[in-house]
């Protein structure tokens, strides 16, 4: 019974996620698993299985997204 309650809570949490996690619907489609810095270098994005860019994360204050060996890092 507790297992069912936990699964229900997890499903509810996923459904409650904001729908604006897709960064920009006008961005060109991508191929997973791609990663990229945001246009303003404030964070990075990741390509999902639907070939849409999603926000991957935000860089801490005082850092910007740069590429190291072809992958985005906050430096």
């Amino acid at each position: 019974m507790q297992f069912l309650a936990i699964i229900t809570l997890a499903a509810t949490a996923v459904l409650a996620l904001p729908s604006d996690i897709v960064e920009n619907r006008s961005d060109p489609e991508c191929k997973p698993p791609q990663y990229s810095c945001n246009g303003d270098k404030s964070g990075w994005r990741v390509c999902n299985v639907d070939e849409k860019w999603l926000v991957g994360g935000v860089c801490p204050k005082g850092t910007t997204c740069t590429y190291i060996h072809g992958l985005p890092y906050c430096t």
Side-chain angles (χ1 to χ4, degrees):
M1 188 67 171
Q2 290 177 344
F3 179 73
L4 182 59
I6 292 170
I7 296 298
T8 303
L9 283 172
T12 303
V14 168
L15 292 173
L17 288 173
S19 61
D20 63 349
I21 60 173
V22 175
E23 185 171 293
N24 186 345
R25 295 195 186 276
S26 65
D27 278 353
E29 292 182 357
C30 54
K31 296 290 182 196
Q34 282 182 306
Y35 297 87
S36 174
C37 290
N38 294 344
D40 64 359
K41 307 292 187 201
S42 65
W44 70 94
R45 59 192 184 168
V46 60
C47 184
N48 72 4
V49 296
D50 295 324
E51 300 181 349
K52 302 293 181 191
W53 287 112
L54 301 177
V55 174
V58 177
C59 290
K61 186 176 181 178
T63 66
T64 58
C65 185
T66 57
Y67 292 96
I68 300 174
H69 301 292
L71 294 172
Y73 287 92
C74 296
T75 59

